[in-house]
Amino acid sequence: MERFLKPNIKKEGREIAYFSMEVGLTSDMPTYSGGLGVLAGDTIKSFVDLKVPAVAVSLVYNKGFFRQSIDEEGNQHEKEDDWDKNRFLTLLPNKVSVTIENRNVQIQCWEYMAKSDTGYFVPVYFLDTDVEGNDDYDRTLTHWLYGGDKRYRFHQEMVLGIGGVRMLKELGYSASKFHMNEGHSALLILELLNETMSDIEQDYEKKYDFETVKEMCVFTTHTPVPAGHDSFDMDMVNNSLGDFYPMDKLESNRDGKLCMTYLALNHSSYINGVAKKHGEVSRHMFPGYQIDSITNGVHSKSWVCDSFQKLFDLHLPGWGKDPYNLRYALSISNEEIWNAHILAKTQLMDYIRDTQGIELDTSIMTIGFARRSTQYKRADLIFNNIEKLMDVEKNGQIQIIYAGKAHPNDSGGKEIIKRIVEIGKRISDRIKVVYLPDYKISLGKILISGVDLWLNTPKRPLEASGTSGMKAMHNGVPNLSILDGWWIEGCIEGETGWSIGPLITSHEQENDDIQDSDDLYYKLKDIIIPMYYNDRNRWIRIMKHCIAFNASFFNTHRMVQQYVINAYF
Ligand SMILES: *Cc1c(COP(=O)(O)O)cnc(C)c1O
């Protein structure tokens, strides 16, 4: 009875091996922390829908990222996120090992099958060092995402890069392209070099087939500042790796350290940034490298709320399989668009009432802001001048909903949450401010579809791409954002949303908080609020433009097609 058996994954045809430090596939599998992981998950989902012969590799994180709660004063509290892997994953019998600091570390793996209605599958392998017989420390290497010190991180990256390549081989795969989603997995280059090493050549120079390995590697960089790039002390690196690898032959040095970005840049045949602007910033940061750009996207079907799914099913059949169909959203009636939006908004308000005991008014214009809480995102920019904000509110009521975790070590990020909660209390008689705890995929979906306006205020050029605004677009929610990352491409002023402050083109120009917040107040007061309350038809036209012009393009189906065309085959 073959149809009852688990599908037999054809391993020999899997040309693409996709490596990512974090993968966010569903809300309850805490193997991601934020944008990078959600992007990886969405990418894998589009691989499935488009039947791209890929296989993905990550780490399992037995203790998850962390669960966040926020107290009355706005302090963040963190709790371990123990989860039941057996609910989602199957432990395979296969094992490989990696030598770390002369210790033999056994690695096992958990299999996740990403599937779609087409019947196609993409396997995702989550590596796990919590294996009996391993040293206590080694057993913790796959416990915490972005936890521990530099040494711990490097050892995690050894498991991911070196262990990942070995595991794929052990499982019977023979990929021809290795896609590194950010530099964390760049040690896979070492293992590929090892695999292609010929024993015949005596000449050390010729032992490693650098050219073949380069041909096999694809690198996507996500970090627009030099300090953001992972680098490790050479002593620790040598001590960890042993003399097994041709470190002296690799071009990966930066200031005497092993820089994962340089390792990947020098040994990949295709390199890209994640938005046009980010490509440009990366070329400026790494002169001499050919760096292309493929703008990120989101998996359309995963980020459209129920009411809009129904509407799209009715008017734009096939939109999930082929999101280019979203281009025709202009033909949907205003009334239907607005009704679908009000359903989503009511759901959000219900969620907030049920979980926080706070009643918000569905008729008030609602602004949403959710992302990792860290200083450069400037979540509190809208509170830069409270007097001016109060003046804005005279033109029509607003309420603001926040969410976002601060990394446990990021005290600046925690301060911002505290500040928002404190200011929220002070101005609550005029503007209601709610900070929702434990931002994750499921909450993200409720939030981005249920607000009227999506706000983003990062310091330029630090938003390499940004994706939550794209999710909002899929639900007809316009953005009000700094011109950075994807929004430089997606913003048609007054048609898909609004920009904040100037477009900065020079690489030296600084961000001016006052200039940016003043522009934010001006746009809200004189353009956005009056239109929302007094010209609803104009507002709904903008909502349709968001879907037609932006959701039809800023999705992972288009993005994966661009990787196929430019990077993979
Ligand atoms: C989409 C998403 C992000 C990334 O959003 P950005 O706008 O890129 O910061 C982070 N966390 C969660 C849970 C998300 O769904």
Side-chain angles (χ1 to χ4, degrees):
M1 301 292 280
E2 203 175 61
R3 67 202 167 97
F4 292 118
L5 293 178
K6 238 180 97 168
N8 196 5
I9 299 300
K10 258 176 60 198
K11 294 182 171 172
E12 65 277 11
R14 297 275 162 176
E15 298 289 341
I16 314 300
Y18 182 80
F19 279 66
S20 183
M21 188 77 168
E22 43 172 314
V23 173
L25 285 156
T26 87
S27 233
D28 301 330
M29 237 169 76
T31 51
Y32 68 97
S33 93
L36 186 74
V38 175
L39 173 76
D42 280 9
T43 302
I44 290 165
K45 289 173 192 172
S46 283
F47 283 157
V48 177
D49 294 343
L50 297 170
K51 301 189 180 171
V52 174
V55 47
V57 181
S58 190
L59 304 182
V60 80
Y61 307 115
N62 292 291
K63 312 276 183 193
F65 189 48
F66 72 91
R67 306 206 53 164
Q68 177 203 48
S69 58
I70 297 166
D71 67 22
E72 279 289 304
E73 276 75 53
N75 300 301
Q76 168 175 297
H77 298 276
E78 296 130 24
K79 215 172 75 192
E80 239 171 45
D81 195 354
D82 267 318
W83 58 293
D84 182 9
K85 295 195 289 295
N86 290 299
R87 255 183 78 202
F88 308 94
L89 310 173
T90 312
L91 181 63
L92 301 185
N94 311 66
K95 285 199 179 69
V96 295
S97 67
V98 171
T99 304
I100 300 177
E101 295 174 339
N102 274 326
R103 295 184 308 279
N104 183 283
V105 180
Q106 295 284 315
I107 304 170
Q108 59 186 8
C109 83
W110 299 78
E111 187 178 59
Y112 178 93
M113 283 295 173
K115 49 180 176 286
S116 78
D117 336 324
T118 62
Y120 195 74
F121 288 76
V122 169
V124 186
Y125 295 104
F126 291 97
L127 305 176
D128 182 4
T129 61
D130 198 350
V131 177
E132 216 168 305
N134 278 347
D135 175 287
D136 282 348
Y137 164 79
D138 295 328
R139 289 185 77 154
T140 69
L141 285 178
T142 53
H143 280 190
W144 298 284
L145 173 58
Y146 303 138
D149 57 9
K150 281 276 192 185
R151 171 171 165 259
Y152 179 84
R153 172 73 72 86
F154 188 70
H155 295 163
Q156 286 191 317
E157 296 188 4
M158 284 182 72
V159 173
L160 177 64
I162 299 169
V165 171
R166 290 186 184 170
M167 185 58 83
L168 288 182
K169 194 174 180 187
E170 156 70 21
L171 294 170
Y173 293 97
S174 54
S176 59
K177 291 282 181 193
F178 287 75
H179 187 168
M180 295 168 265
N181 185 41
E182 189 55 307
H184 308 112
S185 53
L187 294 174
L188 67 82
I189 291 163
L190 303 190
E191 183 58 16
L192 291 178
L193 283 170
N194 240 14
E195 276 194 358
T196 56
M197 183 170 71
S198 75
D199 292 328
I200 308 151
E201 296 283 352
Q202 291 303 310
D203 180 3
Y204 186 75
E205 295 292 329
K206 285 185 185 153
K207 256 184 158 178
Y208 295 98
D209 191 346
F210 287 101
E211 232 163 88
T212 299
V213 170
K214 188 166 186 167
E215 197 45 51
M216 294 170 87
C217 290
V218 171
F219 174 46
T220 300
T221 175
H222 291 260
T223 317
V225 276
H229 296 266
D230 253 357
S231 66
F232 301 99
D233 281 336
M234 230 40 216
D235 283 349
M236 188 273 288
V237 167
N238 288 329
N239 200 37
S240 300
L241 287 170
D243 48 15
F244 196 44
Y245 293 102
M247 294 310 294
D248 54 330
K249 289 279 167 280
L250 288 167
E251 294 170 59
S252 58
N253 244 310
R254 204 164 131 261
D255 308 327
K257 291 185 169 191
L258 166 62
C259 171
M260 301 302 278
T261 300
Y262 273 105
L263 176 60
L265 284 173
N266 285 315
H267 298 277
S268 298
S269 53
Y270 181 84
I271 305 159
N272 72 291
V274 289
K276 290 276 174 230
K277 174 75 175 180
H278 179 238
E280 183 202 312
V281 168
S282 303
R283 285 190 292 276
H284 179 77
M285 192 163 35
F286 304 113
Y289 295 94
Q290 195 180 342
I291 303 176
D292 201 3
S293 62
I294 294 178
T295 303
N296 281 343
V298 299
H299 185 251
S300 302
K301 193 95 199 202
S302 301
W303 290 105
V304 174
C305 68
D306 291 346
S307 55
F308 273 98
Q309 296 239 4
K310 285 207 187 84
L311 204 54
F312 295 165
D313 285 345
L314 190 65
H315 295 285
L316 317 169
W319 66 276
K321 186 167 155 242
D322 178 5
Y324 289 122
N325 282 305
L326 295 169
R327 188 66 175 73
Y328 307 114
L330 298 175
S331 65
I332 304 174
S333 76
N334 284 7
E335 199 188 349
E336 285 171 292
I337 293 274
W338 191 250
N339 288 343
H341 175 63
I342 288 302
L343 277 173
K345 192 169 178 182
T346 306
Q347 259 194 358
L348 171 63
M349 301 311 172
D350 288 351
Y351 172 86
I352 293 172
R353 188 195 54 226
D354 296 346
T355 60
Q356 309 299 309
I358 299 169
E359 287 281 353
L360 294 179
D361 187 340
T362 318
S363 68
I364 294 177
M365 193 181 102
T366 306
I367 299 173
F369 185 109
R371 42 191 58 83
R372 187 160 55 85
S373 180
T374 191
Q375 226 126 32
Y376 85 80
K377 303 255 188 187
R378 295 194 294 185
D380 53 353
L381 190 77
I382 194 171
F383 301 126
N384 206 28
N385 187 326
I386 302 289
E387 216 173 294
K388 286 185 182 169
L389 180 62
M390 291 307 158
D391 190 44
V392 165
E393 194 255 359
K394 283 183 191 148
N395 273 8
Q397 276 193 292
I398 54 171
Q399 51 198 6
I400 312 174
I401 306 174
Y402 279 98
K405 297 175 181 176
H407 187 280
N409 300 334
D410 185 355
S411 52
K414 290 180 183 178
E415 275 310 308
I416 293 176
I417 299 177
K418 215 171 146 69
R419 185 167 139 81
I420 290 169
V421 170
E422 278 168 6
I423 293 174
K425 272 194 249 176
R426 255 197 286 144
I427 64 174
S428 62
D429 57 329
R430 298 275 300 276
I431 299 173
K432 281 205 172 132
V433 179
V434 179
Y435 206 110
L436 297 173
D438 213 27
Y439 182 40
K440 54 183 174 181
I441 291 172
S442 52
L443 173 57
K445 193 164 166 181
I446 298 172
L447 194 53
I448 47 110
S449 57
V451 297
D452 297 302
L453 183 71
W454 194 247
L455 179 68
N456 195 13
T457 49
K459 282 193 172 154
R460 316 163 188 81
L462 299 183
E463 188 86 329
S465 166
T467 53
S468 59
M470 302 174 183
K471 299 168 192 168
M473 290 288 145
H474 274 77
N475 295 279
V477 173
N479 282 28
L480 169 60
S481 289
I482 295 285
L483 287 170
D484 199 15
W486 83 278
W487 190 233
I488 296 174
E489 299 158 50
C491 178
I492 310 171
E493 186 72 20
E495 300 299 337
T496 58
W498 300 268
S499 60
I500 301 169
L503 174 68
I504 294 187
T505 48
S506 114
H507 293 283
E508 281 73 41
Q509 205 173 330
E510 290 286 319
N511 291 275
D512 182 339
D513 283 357
I514 294 176
Q515 184 185 31
D516 287 342
S517 59
D518 278 354
D519 199 40
L520 167 59
Y521 299 136
Y522 157 69
K523 293 257 167 96
L524 273 178
K525 184 181 176 200
D526 286 0
I527 299 171
I528 299 171
I529 292 176
M531 190 192 298
Y532 181 83
Y533 285 109
N534 308 327
D535 193 354
R536 192 55 51 86
N537 282 330
R538 179 79 183 87
W539 185 270
I540 298 171
R541 204 166 86 210
I542 290 180
M543 294 180 70
K544 289 189 211 175
H545 292 169
C546 292
I547 302 163
F549 300 152
N550 280 349
S552 65
F553 182 83
F554 294 100
N555 57 72
T556 41
H557 275 42
R558 182 268 315 153
M559 184 197 81
V560 163
Q561 288 171 54
Q562 286 199 291
Y563 277 107
V564 166
I565 293 168
N566 300 298
Y568 293 163
F569 299 119

